[in-house]
Amino acid sequence: MSLLIHDTGEFWSLPEHRMGEPGAVNSWIRDRYGVEAGTLDVMRISPETSAPPAYLFAHETHETRETPRAARADTHLPPGARWAPVTELTDDRRALPGHRRLLRLWLDGRRAAGDAWLPWQRPGWFTMATAWAERELRGLGIETVGPARQNGFRAWSCQLLLPTTAGLVHLKASPPPHAHEPALTRLLSEWFPGSVPSVLAVDTRRRLMLTADFGPVHRPEGTARIVSYFERVARQVALLQRESADRAAEITATGCPAHPLDRLPELFDDLISQASSAGRDEPTPEESARLRRLLPGFARACARLALLGLPDSLVHHDLWRGNVRDDGDQVLLFDWADSVLTHPFLQLDVLLKDLADALGSAEASAEAREQVRDSYLAAWAGHRPPPEQLRTAAALAAAIAPVSRALLMRDRLAAAPAHLRSRYRGAIAAPLRTCLPPPEREPGDRDTTPEREPVGRGTTPEPATRRT
């Protein structure tokens, strides 16, 4: 195996850049070195001094019709750059200070990566995935007209974009906890065309899915537009839930997880025990004791909600603006990886939280929350419970939904590689802590809780040196 290095004759070093997104780095590699590359992994490197953290990008080069293997020859590289076998880079004396450490970190991470879990981090996966996509598309009478390029890179998925004679096509790969997503999305696209991405092909064994492009996602701006947008989304997801509630058996057959109300109290009890023994960044002993005191009331809330007689349906626990496309006429819901079969009203929790984020406040205005909630409940009016009971049901569901989200995260991380579990340390405890009421303060006590800097989706780190 060879790595691209810069060699002065005295020292070698890895290429450096100051970009933060894999797509931008891939483009930089293409422009600077004349090779097509895909990102295998991004590692945050803790500094050995007070310097800001750096990020190590690991890439794999691959052939396309535009960049054949011959383009990888050293003669096509800028002065000082060359391909070097890894075995040649073992002499610490020739490595630029710090770069030998980066090489060791990458080699250690490569040995620790699990093929079955994140196969896109292994060399050769890109070639396999694109070959599969081209075969499937050819069977549909569609040909690719350009190279496949990485469109998204996350801990939980890898996405490629393929230009074709039928327009852009997206390829998404998922890890084992999301193995249900391709089959589930295909079902939903058949049941609700136009409300879910059009699925062209799936490979359930390798957890691959091809979908037609549906255009850009636009986020609303201005209070009135934001509230109107969330009202449309709430109504659309409620209608989808109503129509799919009678198809629970087909949903279950995809492997979609289930959190039935009659089992949630037991699952919550188990979750508290497991989370409290997990160590740092999970509930403290005091928090676990407080959570356990909530169990009787939690069980009563589940029982009361069950008495209303609404059937279990799909809940999309990651339904935020980044996973919705609204063109004013049609609301399209995508990224169904974080789905669970449970009481449908648990959907309101994540929806109203994102409403608060969109309005730029920790708490959305009471009026806006009521408008979005009522838009959601209106789709259920006349279904089973009388209208006056729907708001009571929504309030009960709000106390239950965080537990369902925590359970989903626990199961997602259970068999994950160690570096992923470390990266998401505290992710189980976070929704559980929202269940806890504020601790009681003695009369006269001052609130000394320090203000926390808000961190939202899409937060990017301070500029730092990236090495690739």
Side-chain angles (χ1 to χ4, degrees):
M1 176 176 293
S2 296
L3 295 181
L4 182 61
I5 64 169
H6 286 270
D7 195 341
T8 66
E10 182 179 3
F11 294 107
W12 66 261
S13 64
L14 300 170
E16 296 186 53
H17 56 83
R18 297 184 66 83
M19 283 162 285
E21 295 296 328
V25 184
N26 294 345
S27 296
W28 177 77
I29 293 171
R30 185 185 314 119
D31 295 340
R32 181 170 175 78
Y33 299 104
V35 294
E36 201 68 45
T39 303
L40 298 177
D41 198 8
V42 182
M43 299 171 61
R44 185 180 187 276
I45 308 300
S46 299
E48 294 180 321
T49 65
S50 59
Y55 296 84
L56 179 64
F57 286 72
H59 304 271
E60 177 193 24
T61 61
H62 48 78
E63 287 185 72
T64 69
R65 287 189 291 269
E66 290 75 14
T67 57
R69 186 171 299 275
R72 293 179 53 185
D74 285 357
T75 55
H76 292 264
L77 298 176
R82 68 182 180 90
W83 294 97
V86 173
T87 53
E88 180 189 320
L89 307 178
T90 55
D91 186 350
D92 287 359
R93 294 170 299 178
R94 286 207 64 229
L96 198 69
H99 285 232
R100 175 62 185 160
R101 173 180 175 240
L102 295 175
L103 178 61
R104 284 196 298 267
L105 287 170
W106 172 71
L107 289 171
D108 290 344
R110 185 169 174 266
R111 283 190 287 267
D115 290 356
W117 244 86
L118 303 176
W120 52 86
Q121 292 188 352
R122 306 299 293 181
W125 178 88
F126 184 96
T127 300
M128 177 280 298
T130 53
W132 170 81
E134 289 171 355
R135 285 196 303 273
E136 294 292 332
L137 291 171
R138 198 171 298 118
L140 298 172
I142 300 172
E143 295 291 336
T144 57
V145 294
R149 288 180 178 159
Q150 209 164 21
N151 186 45
F153 182 94
R154 298 165 46 200
W156 301 107
S157 69
C158 183
Q159 300 175 47
L160 308 180
L161 192 63
L162 296 87
T164 77
T165 52
L168 293 175
V169 171
H170 295 260
L171 187 155
K172 182 176 182 179
S174 302
H178 298 163
H180 61 282
E181 185 185 9
L184 176 62
T185 308
R186 179 168 57 183
L187 272 185
L188 295 176
S189 71
E190 294 170 355
W191 296 344
F192 308 105
S195 297
V196 177
S198 175
V199 177
L200 303 176
V202 300
D203 184 328
T204 54
R205 182 178 64 84
R206 291 185 288 197
R207 306 182 299 276
L208 301 174
M209 175 173 64
L210 287 176
T211 57
D213 183 61
F214 47 78
V217 172
H218 300 291
R219 299 189 192 181
E221 296 181 357
T223 299
R225 290 184 177 180
I226 288 172
V227 174
S228 176
Y229 164 93
F230 274 89
E231 287 180 306
R232 292 193 298 274
V233 174
R235 183 164 51 250
Q236 183 62 38
V237 71
L239 291 172
L240 184 148
Q241 288 176 318
R242 279 193 58 168
E243 295 300 318
S244 60
D246 294 332
R247 295 163 162 171
E250 292 173 81
I251 293 171
T252 300
T254 68
C256 181
H259 296 162
L261 287 174
D262 61 352
R263 287 207 60 220
L264 270 173
E266 175 190 351
L267 293 172
F268 188 19
D269 193 2
D270 291 343
L271 182 61
I272 295 170
S273 299
Q274 293 172 14
S276 61
S277 63
R280 196 178 78 183
D281 292 333
E282 299 304 342
T284 65
E286 185 269 339
E287 286 175 329
S288 295
R290 291 172 63 200
L291 285 168
R292 202 167 293 284
R293 288 196 291 270
L294 297 178
L295 278 169
F298 181 86
R300 288 193 296 271
C302 290
R304 287 180 62 194
L305 193 55
L307 286 174
L308 296 176
L310 284 169
D312 283 354
S313 189
L314 268 180
V315 168
H316 189 322
H317 270 316
D318 195 27
L319 189 63
W320 68 291
R321 284 157 289 153
N323 289 333
V324 176
R325 184 180 188 274
D326 176 22
D327 61 9
D329 297 319
Q330 181 74 48
V331 174
L332 183 139
L333 313 172
F334 59 97
D335 198 357
W336 290 87
D338 288 309
S339 298
V340 61
L341 194 62
T342 187
H343 193 282
F345 283 17
L346 271 60
Q347 184 67 71
L348 276 170
D349 175 66
V350 67
L351 199 61
L352 295 179
K353 286 181 184 299
D354 195 47
L355 171 65
D357 288 343
L359 292 176
S361 62
E363 290 289 339
S365 70
E367 183 181 359
R369 288 175 61 89
E370 288 177 4
Q371 285 179 245
V372 173
R373 180 200 60 194
D374 290 348
S375 179
Y376 175 86
L377 296 179
W380 291 94
H383 188 64
R384 291 192 186 181
E388 62 271 15
Q389 293 185 7
L390 291 176
R391 290 189 179 185
T392 300
L396 291 169
I400 299 168
V403 174
S404 178
R405 287 190 285 115
L407 286 166
L408 213 57
M409 181 58 73
R410 178 203 64 182
D411 294 341
R412 171 195 274 185
L413 291 171
H419 72 280
L420 265 186
R421 294 198 303 273
S422 175
R423 187 181 303 180
Y424 285 85
R425 187 184 295 119
I428 300 170
L432 292 180
R433 288 185 174 122
T434 67
C435 300
L436 294 172
E440 295 182 3
R441 300 211 307 262
E442 294 296 326
D445 281 356
R446 296 177 59 194
D447 185 0
T448 58
T449 304
E451 291 187 7
R452 294 189 301 169
E453 182 178 348
V455 178
R457 299 180 207 273
T459 300
T460 55
E462 288 298 311
T465 299
R466 273 82 171 176
R467 297 176 176 88
T468 189

